[in-house]
Amino acid sequence: MSRAAIQPLKLNQVTIDGLFWGKRLDTNRTVTLKVQYEQSRGRLDAFKLDWKPGQPNQPHRFWDSDVAKWIEASAFSLATHPDAALEKRLNDAVNLIASAQQPDGYLNTHYTVVAPEKRWTDLKDGHEMYCAGHLMEAATAYYEATGNRTLLDVMAKMADHIDSQFGRENGKRRGYCGHPEIELGLAKLAAATGNDRYLQLATYLLDERGQKPHYFDGEITSRGHRISAAKEGHDQHERFDYYQAHKPFREQKDIDGHAVRALYLLSGAIDIARETKDAKLLNVCKRLWRSAVEKRMYITGGVGSRRNGEAFTFDYDLPNETAYAETCASIALAFVAERLLQIEPSNEYGDVLERTLYNGILSGISLSGDRFRYANPLTIHREALSPAINRVLAAPRAEWFDCACCPPNLARVLASLGHYAYSQSKDAVYVHLFATGRATFELGGTEVTLSQTTDYPWREQISFNVELDQPTTFAISLRLPAWCRKPTVKVNGKSVSLNAITTNGYASIRRKWSDGDHIELTLPMPIERVHSNAQVRNNAGKVALQRGPIVYCVEQVDAGEDLHRLVLPVDAPLKAQWEPRLLGGVMTITGKAKRQSVDGDALYSTAAAKWQSVPFKAVPYYAWGNRKVGEMTVWLREGV
Amino acid sequence: MSRAAIQPLKLNQVTIDGLFWGKRLDTNRTVTLKVQYEQSRGRLDAFKLDWKPGQPNQPHRFWDSDVAKWIEASAFSLATHPDAALEKRLNDAVNLIASAQQPDGYLNTHYTVVAPEKRWTDLKDGHEMYCAGHLMEAATAYYEATGNRTLLDVMAKMADHIDSQFGRENGKRRGYCGHPEIELGLAKLAAATGNDRYLQLATYLLDERGQKPHYFDGEITSRGHRISAAKEGHDQHERFDYYQAHKPFREQKDIDGHAVRALYLLSGAIDIARETKDAKLLNVCKRLWRSAVEKRMYITGGVGSRRNGEAFTFDYDLPNETAYAETCASIALAFVAERLLQIEPSNEYGDVLERTLYNGILSGISLSGDRFRYANPLTIHREALSPAINRVLAAPRAEWFDCACCPPNLARVLASLGHYAYSQSKDAVYVHLFATGRATFELGGTEVTLSQTTDYPWREQISFNVELDQPTTFAISLRLPAWCRKPTVKVNGKSVSLNAITTNGYASIRRKWSDGDHIELTLPMPIERVHSNAQVRNNAGKVALQRGPIVYCVEQVDAGEDLHRLVLPVDAPLKAQWEPRLLGGVMTITGKAKRQSVDGDALYSTAAAKWQSVPFKAVPYYAWGNRKVGEMTVWLREGV
C-alpha cells in the first residue's frame, strides 16, 4: 500500500448539479443548512459560558458536536457556494468558540460551565473527546474553505491538551472516549497542520481501547460506584461493545456494538492505517468492513439492525419491521467506504458508497429538506403507525431531535458530496459517482476539466467531455457498478473493450486525451429482482426490486393496506416509468401483482389462500414517507 | 342463561390414565409436585412470621401465592390419590398459615413482617389481594379434598377483612388489586361457604376497576410521588391496561394488557355473571373471549404475544420468534374456556380448551416434569440460542423461576385435569376431553360409570362403555371438535346420524342406557395444513401442521439448522407415524420437503434460489426442546 494512493478532489474543484442531485443539493443549502442553524443557535450560545446553575438550557454533553457539524457543513457549502453573510456568521461563531477555550487548551461547554470538577472523569459517557473530534473536523473544513486558521489553532491546542492528559507515558491516564470520533478528527487535524503528533495520539487512542483492566471500570470505581457485570444482551449500555471497548480493535473479528461508534472508529483506524502505512491494521479494517457489508447490511445500505444499543447484532440478522438502521450509521458507512476507496479504488467500496447514498442515507431526509429520520426501517406495518406501537421506528420524519446527530450529519454529507465523486492520483482521475457537473484538476502539468452529463440514476447514459489546453496522457478511471451486468464504454464513438482495462471494477481508460474527447458510458439498468442470501431468515421467500443503484419500496398510498398480503409473481412483467410530477420526479416500477384476499374471520383454517390480481407500483425507497403516512415495505413476498 | 347450567364433575368422580395422560399425570404427582414443594418450602416458612430486617430471604410480595398453588395442586392430587403423608404435610402447612393470620383477619407474610405500616397502601403492585385470591382457591380445593375447614375459615375471615376495608360504602376505600385473581377466588369461596357476600365483594372489585379518578393515581400521590402519564407503548408498567385498570371491565371491547391479569379477571367475571345471572356481563365476557381467541391467539393456544408487559398487543399480531405466550396465560385461557363451557357447552370453548392443553400449556413443562418454560415462542432461531440474544424467550426450560407463577400453575392444572374432562347436568353427562379413564356420577337417581378407552390424541377411536345398575334415560353429550371434518358415532355398533343431535358442536345421544351399552366415537385425524388468516402478517406464506388437536413443529435435531430455509411444498406427501421410543411416544409427521441452499457468499444477489430435496419430520409442539437444544419452528414456509 502507498500513503494516500489517490486523493479526493477538493470541494472547490467539483460542481454537482443536474436532474437528481441538483435540486437535493440546492435544498440542502437553502433549507437544511438554515434549519440546522436555527436549531443550533442555542447550542452555539453555550460557548458564551454564561450559563449558571438553576438556569434553563443547561449545556448538554453532546451540544458542542451539533455546533461543530453546523460549522463543518457550512464550510463545505462555502467551498462551493461563496456566501459572505454565511462566512461572517461562521467567523463570529469560530471566534466565540475560541473565546471559550480555557488557558490550558481545554474546550467543552458542558464541562466548563456545568461540571468543571468532573472534567475528564467520565470518558465512558462524557463525550468530551467526541465533541473535540467533531470540532477538529469542523476546523479543517473551515480552514480549507476559508484559509482562516482560528479554529484549527484552537483545536490543535485542545489536541495538545488531550495529549498532555492521556497516553502511556508516566503521569498520563490511559483513557479513551466512549464514543469514537476523535480518532478521525485527529487524523484530519494532523493532515491540515502537518503535525504527526496528532496521528500518534489517534493511534494511542485506537490501540488503548479495549485493553484490560478496562479504563471505564476504573472510572466507575473512582466515582465510588460498583461495577456491574457486562450483561450480555440485557442492558446494551452496560456492555463494552456499545463503547467499542469490548476488545482491542486489532483483535476484532466481527463488527459489533453501537453501529455509529463502530464505524466512526473504523474510519479513524483506516486513516491511521493509511497515514502510518500499517498494512496489518488495514487488514483488520478490511475484515471489519466485510463483516459489516457482507453479513450485516440492509439492501438500503442501512446498518445496525437493533434499536436497543443502536447496534449491530449478528450475521444475517436483518429484521425489516424493527430495522434501526440509523441515518448516522449509513453515513458512517459511507465514510468508511470513501476512505477505503482512496486507498484502493474498487467497486467493492464504491458500490456500497453509492448504495447507501441513494438509499439508506437519503431516506433520512424529506424531499423538502426539513424533516428527518433517525431510524430507517424497511417495513412499516399498519399498527406501527399508531403511537402506541414502536413509535420511534415508525414515526414520520421529525423536525429535529433532542439527540440531534442525524440531521446535521445529513447536511454535511450532502454539502460535501463532491468530495465523494472524484479522486485523482498523479496520472489518473477516478470517477466514483455519476452526476451531472464538472471536475477540474491538474494532471501531467495540465489543467483538465472533466464534465459529466447524465440523468443518472434514472437513465443509463453518462457522457464525459474532456477539456484541456494541450493533449496529455493520463487515465480516466470509471467505476463500473457490480449491479450492472453489461456496461459499455465508447471513446469518441468507438467501443472500448472493458475486460482488458478493468481492475477491481474500475475501467481505466489511459490515452493521450485531447480537448473535446468524449466518453459515453452506458450502464444498462433493467429492473432487477434481488434476493437475500438464504441465511437471512427475515427475507426468506421475499424479493426486493432494484433498478440501477435505486432500491424500491411499495407504499400503502399506492398499494393499499396489509402489504404482507401482496405477492409479486416471479414472472410478473414490470416496467420502469418516468413520473416527473411524482416525488420530485422519479422512475417508478409498475406492473401486476397478486393480493391475498381476507377470506372469512377464522384465525386458522385449512382453506387455501384466495387471490386477486392487482396493479403494482413501487417507488424509490429514499422517497418513502413523503406522501400520505402509511405502510411501506422494501421486501415483498415472491410467488408463482 | 341459568345458574350453573352444567357442573364439572368433582375430581374424585373422575380417573384419567392411559397412553397420553397416564404418564404425564403420574409424573406430575411423583416429580412435579415434589419439586414444587421443595421450591416452596422457604416461602411456606415465611408464614412463621419470624423474618427480621437484615436477614436473608425477605418474604416477597408474591410468595404467599406460590404456597397457595402448592396447597391447591396437592389438594387436587389428594382428591384422586389419597396420601396420608401428603395430607399430614398439608395439614401442618394450613395450620401454620392459620397461625399467621392477624387478629383482624389480615393475612400476608410480606406486609406483616416486612412493611406492616404499608398494608393496603399499594394495591397497584402489592399483590395482597392476589395472594389472598390464590389462598382462597387453595382453601376450597383443600376443603373439597379433605373436608377440613381450617383454611376455608381463615380465608373467609380474610375476605371479611377485605370487605371491611374496600367498597363503595362510607369509610371504605374504593380500591382493587393491580393483579386480578381475587375475583375468581372470592367466587370459589362464595360457592364453598354459601356466603353470597363474597360474590358481592367480587362484583364490587370487578366493577370498581378502571373507574376514574384512578385509584392507583391516588395511591401514588398519597405516597408523595408524582403521577407519570400513561405512556402509550413506552413503559408497559406505567400503563393502566397492564393492571386491567384502563377502563371499566364492562366497557372493554378488546382483550388488552397483561395477558394473565386480563384472563384471570375474565375468569372471575364469568363466575360473577354466572352466579348473579348477569346476562349483560356474560356478553361482555364473550366479547373479550372472542377478541382473545379469534384475533390474538397463537395456533398453540398461546396468548399475550409481547414480552414487554407480558401483554396482548393488537389484532392479528402474532410474531413467532418473539412470541411471549406465557405458560400461565395459556392456563388462564383454559380457565376461561372451562368456565364458558359450563355455562353453554360448545366446541367454541371446548376446542380452545383442548388446543391450549395439548399445545401451549404442555409445552411449558418438560417430559421429565422438572423443567419449565415461562415463554413459549413458536420459532427459535439459531442465534437466539446464544445467551446474548433474547435469552428469556429462547432459553431452555429452567428448573424454577424467581417469579415462579408458571410451574405451580402447571402442577395444579395437571392435578385437576379430571375437572376439565366431564360435566353433568340433571339429565346429561358431557364429555369435553378424550382420555382413557372413568367418570362416575349420578343421573336420574342411578349411579352411572362412563368408562372411556382411547389412544387419543394419536388414534381416532374413542370407546365409551356405560355401567349402571338399572336402565336409565339420560344424554351422553360428546364434543365433536371443529378440527374434525367427519366425526362418526356408533351406539352398540349402529351408526348414529349426528346432524340431528348436534348443537354447538356437542352430539347429544339421549336414550335409555343399559349396562354394557357402548359408544364408538371416531374422529378422523388426517394431517391438516393450517393457514393463518391473511391479516396475520407474521405467517404470510406459511403453513402449520396439525393432526387431531396436536400442533406440530420442526426441530433442528431432525431438520438441521436454518429452519427458515425449509419449504414444505403444497403437494408434499406427508404421513403420520407412531414412534413409541421418541419423546415418550409420539405420532410424528414425515415426508419430503425442500431446503434452500446457501448459494455463495453474496448478501444480495439476483440469482434464483437453489433447492435440494430433504426428508421432513415434524414432532408435536408440546414436546419440543426435550432433545438437543436447537432451532424450532411451528410455521413453515409453504411452496410449490
Side-chain angles (χ1 to χ4, degrees):
Chain A
M1 79 188 265
S2 65
R3 175 161 172 162
I6 63 175
Q7 295 277 4
L9 296 190
K10 293 188 187 304
L11 286 180
N12 61 11
Q13 296 178 267
V14 178
T15 62
I16 289 185
D17 43 43
L19 182 62
F20 188 90
W21 285 112
K23 202 194 295 180
R24 299 303 296 239
L25 299 191
D26 276 353
T27 302
N28 189 55
R29 205 173 53 252
T30 58
V31 178
T32 311
L33 278 181
K34 286 193 167 55
V35 165
Q36 186 183 4
Y37 175 68
E38 292 305 325
Q39 294 284 357
S40 308
R41 285 175 85 145
R43 299 172 186 203
L44 176 57
D45 283 345
F47 284 94
K48 293 176 183 167
L49 304 183
D50 56 359
W51 179 86
K52 294 285 180 296
Q55 291 182 345
N57 300 321
Q58 173 182 310
H60 186 276
R61 301 191 285 193
F62 305 158
W63 277 12
D64 295 2
S65 72
D66 295 330
V67 174
K69 281 194 267 192
W70 168 70
I71 294 173
E72 188 185 5
S74 301
F76 288 149
S77 179
L78 278 188
T80 54
H81 293 77
D83 177 334
L86 178 60
E87 187 163 354
K88 166 76 166 63
R89 183 176 276 173
L90 275 181
N91 289 345
D92 292 346
V94 162
N95 291 335
L96 177 61
I97 292 170
S99 76
Q101 187 162 42
Q102 303 300 296
D104 61 357
Y106 185 81
L107 177 64
N108 185 287
T109 60
H110 171 83
Y111 279 98
T112 301
V113 302
V114 178
E117 75 289 359
K118 293 187 178 161
R119 206 204 253 195
W120 301 129
T121 64
D122 184 11
L123 267 58
K124 176 162 158 281
D125 291 300
H127 286 73
E128 286 159 289
M129 292 193 203
Y130 169 81
C131 286
H134 273 301
L135 280 164
M136 290 170 192
E137 290 201 86
T140 58
Y142 174 69
Y143 169 62
E144 187 161 315
T146 65
N148 182 327
R149 292 189 63 97
T150 307
L151 193 55
L152 198 65
D153 291 342
V154 164
M155 294 318 299
K157 196 173 168 190
M158 173 62 165
D160 295 340
H161 169 74
I162 294 170
D163 197 31
S164 75
Q165 299 291 311
F166 298 98
R168 295 203 185 83
E169 299 84 356
N170 276 342
K172 295 185 180 180
R173 278 169 289 166
R174 298 179 68 154
Y176 49 89
C177 189
H179 197 315
E181 155 66 27
I182 195 171
E183 298 80 3
L184 72 90
L186 284 166
K188 287 190 175 181
L189 191 66
T193 62
N195 187 342
D196 270 355
R197 240 180 352 111
Y198 302 139
L199 204 61
Q200 290 159 25
L201 178 58
T203 308
Y204 154 76
L205 290 169
L206 174 72
D207 283 329
E208 188 58 27
R209 184 175 288 280
Q211 301 294 343
K212 290 179 184 169
H214 281 286
Y215 184 78
F216 298 154
D217 280 347
E219 284 190 334
I220 292 167
T221 51
S222 48
R223 287 198 296 271
H225 295 159
R226 204 166 54 86
I227 297 163
S228 56
K231 293 171 190 159
E232 291 283 315
H234 207 64
D235 179 348
Q236 296 303 321
H237 287 257
E238 290 300 316
R239 290 181 67 183
F240 285 119
D241 72 3
Y242 180 81
Y243 303 97
Q244 286 297 305
H246 50 305
K247 56 179 76 169
F249 181 81
R250 291 170 197 261
E251 296 175 17
Q252 293 191 28
K253 298 275 185 284
D254 300 309
I255 192 106
D256 280 321
H258 186 281
V260 174
R261 297 177 194 225
L263 294 169
Y264 279 11
L265 182 63
L266 182 52
S267 297
I270 297 167
D271 290 339
I272 291 166
R274 182 187 68 235
E275 297 301 323
T276 64
K277 303 186 179 61
D278 185 338
K280 280 188 183 166
L281 178 58
L282 184 63
N283 279 339
V284 173
C285 294
K286 287 183 179 176
R287 179 169 78 209
L288 294 176
W289 159 264
R290 287 192 300 268
S291 171
V293 304
E294 295 179 1
K295 313 276 190 191
R296 303 182 178 191
M297 181 183 72
Y298 288 99
I299 190 173
T300 57
V303 281
S305 52
R306 184 168 60 202
R307 175 183 167 191
N308 182 9
E310 307 184 314
F312 285 104
T313 57
F314 52 88
D315 289 353
Y316 305 113
D317 180 46
L318 296 164
N320 293 302
E321 232 178 75
T322 58
Y324 195 66
E326 184 184 337
T327 303
C328 281
S330 283
I331 289 171
L333 187 65
F335 292 165
V336 174
E338 188 269 340
R339 279 165 168 81
L340 290 170
L341 204 49
Q342 307 304 345
I343 291 174
E344 183 182 16
S346 165
N347 65 1
E348 177 188 348
Y349 311 125
D351 287 3
V352 170
L353 172 64
E354 180 179 63
R355 180 185 293 279
T356 192
L357 259 181
Y358 278 106
N359 303 290
I361 291 176
L362 265 196
S363 64
I365 185 167
S366 67
L367 296 175
S368 59
D370 58 356
R371 294 287 186 283
F372 307 94
R373 290 198 68 86
Y374 209 105
N376 295 278
L378 276 75
T379 292
I380 300 282
H381 178 257
R382 179 168 25 130
E383 296 291 337
L385 306 172
S386 133
I389 310 291
N390 225 355
R391 58 177 175 178
V392 169
L393 289 174
R397 291 183 182 84
E399 289 191 20
W400 207 252
F401 306 96
D402 282 342
C403 177
C405 50
C406 296
N409 235 347
L410 283 157
R412 65 175 178 148
V413 164
L414 292 172
S416 61
L417 188 67
H419 175 82
Y420 298 86
Y422 301 92
S423 303
Q424 73 166 103
S425 65
K426 62 182 192 325
D427 62 352
V429 63
Y430 293 84
V431 182
H432 307 304
L433 298 179
F434 306 113
T436 294
R438 299 161 66 83
T440 304
F441 45 89
E442 196 196 284
L443 272 180
T446 303
E447 182 168 285
V448 184
T449 292
L450 184 67
S451 67
Q452 192 181 160
T453 308
T454 183
D455 286 343
Y456 191 90
W458 310 126
R459 306 286 179 190
E460 304 172 345
Q461 290 75 32
I462 304 135
S463 301
F464 296 91
N465 208 56
V466 177
E467 301 167 30
L468 73 184
D469 287 340
Q470 55 190 48
T472 309
T473 298
F474 60 90
I476 296 177
S477 192
L478 306 175
R479 179 173 62 91
L480 304 180
W483 57 254
C484 184
R485 294 157 193 251
K486 292 191 175 165
T488 61
V489 170
K490 289 182 182 174
V491 174
N492 297 332
K494 279 193 202 152
S495 288
V496 171
S497 169
L498 289 172
N499 277 350
I501 61 168
T502 301
T503 306
N504 294 332
Y506 275 72
S508 184
I509 310 163
R510 180 174 302 278
R511 68 198 302 269
K512 181 173 279 194
W513 295 99
S514 300
D515 191 58
D517 282 350
H518 54 97
I519 305 172
E520 299 296 328
L521 169 63
T522 302
L523 298 174
M525 40 178 79
I527 296 163
E528 300 279 10
R529 291 167 172 268
V530 182
H531 299 105
S532 292
N533 188 294
Q535 291 168 93
V536 181
R537 71 194 190 287
N538 318 91
N539 296 336
K542 292 184 178 170
V543 62
L545 298 178
Q546 186 173 337
R547 181 177 176 278
I550 300 291
V551 173
Y552 282 75
C553 70
V554 174
E555 286 195 276
Q556 184 176 343
V557 64
D558 297 316
E561 66 174 9
D562 271 4
L563 296 179
H564 67 269
R565 292 199 275 124
L566 202 66
V567 167
L568 193 63
V570 289
D571 58 357
L574 297 171
K575 68 172 181 184
Q577 182 168 316
W578 176 242
E579 301 202 35
R581 273 175 297 278
L582 183 67
L583 295 164
V586 291
M587 195 71 80
T588 59
I589 295 175
T590 56
K592 285 270 184 205
K594 296 193 307 180
R595 188 173 158 85
Q596 191 176 346
S597 304
V598 175
D599 184 26
D601 289 335
L603 186 51
Y604 302 106
S605 131
T606 54
K610 291 207 172 71
W611 299 95
Q612 55 181 147
S613 176
V614 290
F616 175 86
K617 182 175 198 166
V619 299
Y621 172 75
Y622 75 79
W624 83 268
N626 280 284
R627 292 177 292 170
K628 200 175 163 200
V629 170
E631 293 178 43
M632 178 276 295
T633 193
V634 170
W635 292 95
L636 297 155
R637 288 169 63 190
E638 194 168 36
V640 287
Chain B
M1 85 188 257
S2 64
R3 173 163 173 159
I6 62 174
Q7 294 277 4
L9 297 189
K10 294 189 186 305
L11 285 181
N12 60 13
Q13 297 177 269
V14 178
T15 62
I16 290 184
D17 42 44
L19 182 64
F20 189 88
W21 286 112
K23 202 194 295 180
R24 299 303 298 237
L25 298 192
D26 276 353
T27 302
N28 189 54
R29 205 172 52 253
T30 58
V31 178
T32 312
L33 278 181
K34 284 195 169 55
V35 164
Q36 187 183 2
Y37 175 67
E38 292 304 324
Q39 294 285 358
S40 307
R41 285 175 84 144
R43 299 174 186 201
L44 175 58
D45 284 345
F47 284 95
K48 293 177 183 166
L49 304 184
D50 57 358
W51 179 86
K52 295 282 178 302
Q55 291 182 344
N57 300 319
Q58 174 181 308
H60 186 276
R61 300 192 286 193
F62 305 159
W63 277 13
D64 295 1
S65 71
D66 295 329
V67 173
K69 280 193 268 190
W70 169 70
I71 293 173
E72 188 185 5
S74 301
F76 289 150
S77 180
L78 277 188
T80 54
H81 292 77
D83 178 334
L86 177 61
E87 188 164 353
K88 167 76 168 61
R89 184 177 276 172
L90 276 180
N91 289 345
D92 291 347
V94 162
N95 291 335
L96 177 61
I97 292 170
S99 75
Q101 187 164 40
Q102 302 299 297
D104 62 357
Y106 185 81
L107 178 61
N108 184 287
T109 60
H110 171 83
Y111 279 98
T112 301
V113 301
V114 178
E117 75 290 357
K118 293 188 178 161
R119 206 203 251 196
W120 300 130
T121 62
D122 184 11
L123 266 56
K124 176 160 158 283
D125 292 300
H127 287 73
E128 285 158 290
M129 292 193 204
Y130 169 81
C131 286
H134 273 301
L135 281 165
M136 289 169 194
E137 291 201 86
T140 58
Y142 175 68
Y143 169 61
E144 186 161 316
T146 65
N148 183 326
R149 292 189 63 97
T150 308
L151 193 54
L152 197 66
D153 292 340
V154 165
M155 294 319 298
K157 195 172 169 190
M158 174 62 164
D160 295 340
H161 170 73
I162 294 170
D163 196 32
S164 74
Q165 299 290 312
F166 298 99
R168 297 204 184 83
E169 298 83 357
N170 276 343
K172 295 183 181 181
R173 279 168 289 166
R174 297 179 67 151
Y176 49 89
C177 189
H179 196 314
E181 154 67 26
I182 194 170
E183 299 80 3
L184 71 91
L186 284 166
K188 287 188 176 184
L189 192 65
T193 61
N195 187 342
D196 269 357
R197 236 177 357 109
Y198 303 139
L199 205 62
Q200 290 159 23
L201 177 58
T203 309
Y204 154 76
L205 291 169
L206 174 72
D207 283 330
E208 187 59 27
R209 184 174 289 280
Q211 302 293 344
K212 291 178 183 170
H214 281 286
Y215 184 78
F216 298 153
D217 280 348
E219 284 190 334
I220 293 166
T221 51
S222 48
R223 287 198 296 270
H225 295 160
R226 204 166 52 87
I227 297 163
S228 56
K231 294 170 188 158
E232 290 285 313
H234 208 63
D235 180 346
Q236 296 303 321
H237 287 257
E238 290 299 316
R239 290 182 67 183
F240 284 120
D241 73 3
Y242 180 81
Y243 303 97
Q244 285 298 305
H246 51 304
K247 58 178 74 166
F249 181 80
R250 291 169 198 262
E251 295 175 18
Q252 292 191 28
K253 298 276 186 281
D254 301 309
I255 192 106
D256 281 321
H258 186 280
V260 175
R261 296 176 194 223
L263 294 170
Y264 278 11
L265 183 62
L266 182 52
S267 297
I270 297 167
D271 290 339
I272 292 166
R274 182 187 66 234
E275 297 300 323
T276 63
K277 302 185 177 62
D278 185 337
K280 280 188 183 167
L281 179 58
L282 184 63
N283 280 337
V284 173
C285 293
K286 287 183 178 175
R287 178 169 80 209
L288 295 175
W289 160 263
R290 287 192 299 269
S291 171
V293 303
E294 294 180 2
K295 313 278 189 189
R296 303 181 179 192
M297 181 184 71
Y298 287 98
I299 189 172
T300 56
V303 282
S305 53
R306 184 167 60 201
R307 176 182 167 190
N308 184 8
E310 306 184 314
F312 285 104
T313 57
F314 51 88
D315 289 350
Y316 305 113
D317 180 47
L318 297 164
N320 293 304
E321 234 180 71
T322 59
Y324 195 65
E326 185 184 337
T327 303
C328 282
S330 283
I331 290 172
L333 187 66
F335 292 165
V336 174
E338 189 271 338
R339 280 166 169 79
L340 290 170
L341 204 48
Q342 307 303 345
I343 292 174
E344 183 181 17
S346 166
N347 66 1
E348 178 188 349
Y349 312 126
D351 288 4
V352 170
L353 172 64
E354 179 179 63
R355 181 185 292 280
T356 190
L357 259 181
Y358 278 105
N359 303 289
I361 290 176
L362 265 197
S363 65
I365 185 167
S366 66
L367 297 175
S368 59
D370 58 356
R371 293 287 185 283
F372 307 94
R373 291 198 68 86
Y374 209 105
N376 295 280
L378 276 75
T379 293
I380 300 283
H381 178 257
R382 183 169 19 133
E383 296 291 337
L385 305 173
S386 133
I389 311 290
N390 224 353
R391 60 178 172 177
V392 170
L393 291 175
R397 291 186 182 84
E399 289 190 21
W400 207 252
F401 306 96
D402 283 342
C403 177
C405 50
C406 297
N409 236 346
L410 283 158
R412 65 175 179 150
V413 165
L414 292 173
S416 61
L417 189 66
H419 177 80
Y420 299 86
Y422 301 92
S423 304
Q424 73 165 102
S425 65
K426 63 181 191 321
D427 62 352
V429 62
Y430 293 83
V431 181
H432 307 302
L433 298 180
F434 307 113
T436 294
R438 298 161 67 84
T440 304
F441 45 91
E442 198 198 281
L443 272 180
T446 303
E447 183 168 287
V448 183
T449 294
L450 183 67
S451 67
Q452 191 181 159
T453 308
T454 182
D455 285 344
Y456 191 91
W458 309 126
R459 305 286 178 189
E460 304 171 345
Q461 290 76 31
I462 305 137
S463 302
F464 296 91
N465 207 58
V466 177
E467 302 166 30
L468 76 181
D469 287 338
Q470 53 189 48
T472 308
T473 298
F474 60 90
I476 297 176
S477 193
L478 306 174
R479 179 173 61 92
L480 305 180
W483 56 254
C484 184
R485 295 157 193 249
K486 294 192 175 167
T488 62
V489 170
K490 289 183 181 173
V491 175
N492 297 333
K494 282 193 198 152
S495 289
V496 171
S497 169
L498 290 172
N499 279 350
I501 61 168
T502 302
T503 305
N504 293 334
Y506 275 73
S508 185
I509 310 163
R510 181 174 300 277
R511 68 198 304 268
K512 182 173 278 194
W513 294 97
S514 300
D515 191 57
D517 282 349
H518 54 98
I519 305 172
E520 299 296 326
L521 168 64
T522 303
L523 298 173
M525 40 179 78
I527 296 163
E528 300 279 8
R529 290 166 172 269
V530 182
H531 300 105
S532 292
N533 188 293
Q535 291 167 94
V536 181
R537 71 195 190 287
N538 317 90
N539 296 337
K542 291 184 178 170
V543 62
L545 297 178
Q546 186 173 336
R547 181 177 176 276
I550 300 291
V551 173
Y552 281 76
C553 71
V554 174
E555 287 196 275
Q556 184 176 344
V557 65
D558 297 315
E561 66 175 8
D562 272 4
L563 295 179
H564 66 268
R565 293 199 274 124
L566 202 65
V567 167
L568 193 63
V570 289
D571 58 357
L574 297 170
K575 66 170 182 185
Q577 182 169 318
W578 176 244
E579 302 203 33
R581 273 175 298 277
L582 184 67
L583 295 164
V586 292
M587 195 72 80
T588 59
I589 296 176
T590 56
K592 285 273 184 202
K594 296 192 308 180
R595 188 175 158 85
Q596 191 176 348
S597 304
V598 175
D599 185 27
D601 290 333
L603 185 52
Y604 302 106
S605 132
T606 54
K610 290 206 173 71
W611 300 95
Q612 55 180 147
S613 176
V614 291
F616 175 85
K617 181 175 198 167
V619 298
Y621 172 76
Y622 76 76
W624 84 267
N626 279 285
R627 292 177 292 170
K628 201 176 163 200
V629 171
E631 293 177 43
M632 179 276 294
T633 192
V634 169
W635 292 96
L636 296 155
R637 289 168 64 189
E638 195 167 36
V640 290

